[in-house]
Amino acid sequence: MTSPASPDTASPQLGAGPRPAPGPAADEGLSRRLRALACTAPLHDLDVRKANLAGEYTVYAMAEVALAAIDHVTLNMDFDTGADHDQIVARLLPRIGAQAPDRPVAEHERVARWVLENLVNVGSVDRGFRAVYGTFGPDGVYVRRDYDFKLIEEVPGHGGAVYLRATDEAVNVLVGALDTDVTSAQIAAEVKLEVLISRGRLADAQLAAEQARYRTVQYAETLRRTLEATRRNVRAVDWLHTVPDMIAEALEHVADRYRHENAILTNIRKARDEAEEPEHKRRAAELVDIVKDCIRRHTQLQSRLLEAGPLFRAEQDRQAFAPPAAHTGLDLYGQLLAPLLPLPVEQAGRATDAFFAHGTGLRTPTAVRVGDLVDLLLAPPLEREHLGAEMPEPDLIATPDDSRFSEEQLARATTLLDLEHDAPRRLSGLLAEARRSGGDGEELAYLVALLAVHAASPPVGTAYRQGERRLLFAVDDGAELEDPAFGGADLIVGTALLDAAGMAADRKDAS
């Protein structure tokens, strides 16, 4: 709801309607808080659903156990691996046993495994959580949006092992923030830690040190995901600007934090040695372990940052020179759609039925258990809409036009390479003619060179199946290209006419 306008901003017209809702910029703060609240909802849901367990489990504080589980997973996962499932269960048993000391250990273990499975969300398809929240669009219309997130996810490891890793959302639940900049949060946490130590507030300093360690883990997780995406597809990561800038900033960040943490470590040891109360000595000793762990993680992060560049170059070579697939892909347009479009429905239906019958794969049975089968048979039939369920309106975003070449340049390059009625020409001559065509001659020459290189391996089979009448080709006869901007072979570029009669005969045979 929108609040009424103040006297200073009220409209002078008596019949004016209510003011429009605030736009996305004004509503962003509320959206962030709603997403932060959504991340804690699965933890509260554990205490609601514990009554459904067989037995009396109301004595257990499930949200407390869940927070402890996220804490243990975050601190026990490494850069390459995660936390071991059984190890986390063993670390949770003392806390669960303290909540119900008279209950058997087997029950404590069942509670720990139940909490972990719910944090992973084992029962869902994608093992994630979804929350729905509302925001205002640019036009002031209230829009409901989905927020998908995970808290703990299972990742494969070496030798078939499965590890647990805490997500960014889980770390944000621990430190009480959402979408916080990792570097600024790390610096703020360590400055706060230094101030608390200097004032002797070791209990608060321990909490600040733990938050700084969580941010260190999250920073390493960001780098790990970037390297994993590079191993899958080197083109999916911006290694030209984004990642090099991130690596440079991260190395500077690690160097600053390393100096800062060593200074903090010296102050903690001094506070530990000078403390007279046993509680202060114990707090200081725990702080020493936490800060030493932060230094170890920063050292590991630095080594991974230094290995990121060689890894990118190795993956670029591996993916660029990987051998092509041994089998050819299916050309739906040339092999199925183009031959069937001229045919009547009676003849085309036989081909499409055969194709989709073999292409859809196996069907999973609807009922795989006797209980499911009984429920399915006894369930009353559902009334369905004639046209099916209403499809949601997609949230479309206009893609910016970032093409280097314009449509007019493409048309001029295509006209220049139209050699159907001319003899084949050298690439050097085509480039010289493109440069003489006008003020954007260099750009046009670059486009002509791209089209000519692409024509060095023309897709003859695809063009033949799709009914193309002519095809641009380029042949290397060993001549070297002499050009001020390009090097390589001086290709012979020409246009080949395809056999239209043979295409028509092939289509007739296919039908």
Side-chain angles (χ1 to χ4, degrees):
M1 295 179 61
T2 57
S3 60
S6 62
D8 295 337
T9 58
S11 173
Q13 299 179 2
L14 296 177
R19 297 180 63 190
D27 202 41
E28 180 62 25
L30 179 60
S31 300
R32 292 166 68 91
R33 282 178 284 166
L34 289 173
R35 292 196 299 268
L37 185 63
C39 290
T40 63
L43 277 65
H44 301 298
D45 188 55
L46 293 176
D47 282 318
V48 175
R49 292 190 294 109
K50 66 184 178 183
N52 299 331
L53 294 174
E56 183 60 37
Y57 289 90
T58 55
V59 67
Y60 297 104
M62 298 299 186
E64 178 184 332
V65 177
L67 274 176
I70 295 175
D71 194 353
H72 288 308
V73 171
T74 304
L75 298 181
N76 283 277
M77 68 184 189
D78 207 345
F79 191 91
D80 296 319
T81 61
D84 181 71
H85 193 283
D86 293 333
Q87 182 184 7
I88 300 302
V89 171
R91 290 179 179 271
L92 290 176
L93 289 180
R95 176 175 291 273
I96 300 174
Q99 295 180 0
D102 55 335
R103 300 292 180 90
V105 178
E107 182 178 299
H108 299 163
E109 184 176 349
R110 184 189 176 194
V111 171
R113 295 189 181 277
W114 182 77
V115 169
L116 267 182
E117 289 176 358
N118 281 272
L119 289 177
V120 179
N121 205 4
V122 174
S124 63
V125 177
D126 59 348
R127 298 202 168 185
F129 300 96
R130 170 171 293 182
V132 180
Y133 68 98
T135 183
F136 289 99
D139 52 355
V141 178
Y142 184 78
V143 181
R144 296 188 183 274
R145 300 186 184 277
D146 293 335
Y147 175 52
D148 297 313
F149 64 96
K150 295 181 179 180
L151 293 178
I152 294 179
E153 55 185 354
E154 295 177 331
V155 296
H158 300 291
V162 178
Y163 296 103
L164 300 175
R165 294 194 72 91
T167 62
D168 287 344
E169 291 83 3
V171 177
N172 284 325
V173 167
L174 281 172
V175 299
L178 186 75
D179 295 339
T180 309
D181 179 67
V182 176
T183 307
S184 60
Q186 177 77 20
I187 296 173
E190 292 179 352
V191 171
K192 177 183 177 182
L193 174 62
E194 185 179 20
V195 172
L196 292 173
I197 292 173
S198 64
R199 295 180 179 178
R201 297 170 58 183
L202 296 182
D204 295 335
Q206 182 175 358
L207 178 60
E210 291 174 349
Q211 292 180 352
R213 182 165 56 175
Y214 295 145
R215 286 301 173 191
T216 303
V217 173
Q218 193 175 15
Y219 204 90
E221 185 71 8
T222 302
L223 176 64
R224 187 188 67 84
R225 286 200 305 269
T226 302
L227 297 181
E228 279 191 355
T230 302
R231 292 188 182 96
R232 289 192 298 269
N233 184 8
V234 73
R235 296 182 180 89
V237 183
D238 181 14
W239 279 90
L240 187 60
H241 301 291
T242 305
V243 179
D245 293 344
M246 186 267 290
I247 292 176
E249 293 175 1
L251 287 173
E252 183 180 357
H253 159 81
V254 169
D256 293 340
R257 301 284 65 75
Y258 187 77
R259 290 191 296 268
H260 200 76
E261 287 163 351
N262 275 282
I264 293 175
L265 192 60
T266 302
N267 293 333
I268 299 173
R269 286 170 175 165
K270 181 180 179 181
R272 179 192 60 188
D273 297 338
E274 295 178 354
E276 297 181 356
E277 298 181 8
E279 181 65 19
H280 276 231
K281 282 187 174 292
R282 185 182 66 83
R283 293 280 188 185
E286 292 177 354
L287 276 172
V288 169
D289 294 337
I290 294 175
V291 176
K292 287 173 65 176
D293 185 54
C294 288
I295 295 175
R296 181 189 65 83
R297 290 180 182 272
H298 274 133
T299 304
Q300 185 185 47
L301 177 61
Q302 182 184 27
S303 65
R304 297 296 180 178
L305 288 168
L306 295 177
E307 295 172 359
L311 184 141
F312 161 68
R313 290 188 289 272
E315 288 297 325
Q316 189 180 37
D317 294 341
R318 182 184 68 83
Q319 297 178 25
F321 299 103
H327 61 279
T328 58
L330 179 65
D331 185 3
L332 287 178
Y333 177 82
Q335 296 178 347
L336 182 67
L337 185 60
L340 292 182
L341 283 178
L343 300 179
V345 177
E346 181 182 1
Q347 299 179 14
R350 294 196 296 268
T352 55
D353 291 345
F355 172 80
F356 288 108
H358 292 83
T360 51
L362 303 176
R363 278 189 66 185
T364 304
T366 305
V368 295
R369 300 180 301 176
V370 177
D372 297 336
L373 181 60
V374 172
D375 293 340
L376 186 64
L377 293 176
L378 297 181
L382 300 176
E383 296 184 3
R384 299 183 179 180
E385 296 289 339
H386 179 64
L387 298 178
E390 182 180 357
M391 298 296 292
E393 287 293 333
D395 189 6
L396 301 178
I397 300 176
T399 304
D401 185 10
D402 54 354
S403 301
R404 175 174 177 176
F405 306 104
S406 62
E407 294 292 337
E408 190 266 339
Q409 288 175 330
L410 179 61
R412 289 164 56 195
T414 305
T415 304
L416 188 61
L417 294 174
D418 185 7
L419 305 174
E420 179 179 356
H421 302 292
D422 299 331
R425 299 181 57 184
R426 288 282 184 182
L427 176 59
S428 56
L430 293 172
L431 295 177
E433 185 176 348
R435 290 191 177 96
R436 294 193 300 267
S437 62
D440 59 344
E442 285 297 332
E443 287 293 308
L444 185 61
Y446 194 93
L447 179 57
V448 169
L450 285 177
L451 295 174
V453 172
H454 180 71
S457 179
V460 180
T462 303
Y464 186 85
R465 289 191 298 269
Q466 294 183 0
E468 299 288 342
R469 194 174 63 86
R470 58 187 180 180
L471 181 67
L472 184 69
F473 70 92
V475 180
D476 180 13
D477 64 344
E480 186 176 353
L481 177 62
E482 296 182 0
D483 190 88
F486 305 101
D490 194 359
L491 302 175
I492 300 176
V493 185
T495 302
L497 299 179
L498 300 181
D499 186 7
M503 298 178 196
D506 287 346
R507 290 199 188 95
K508 185 176 181 181
D509 294 341
S511 63

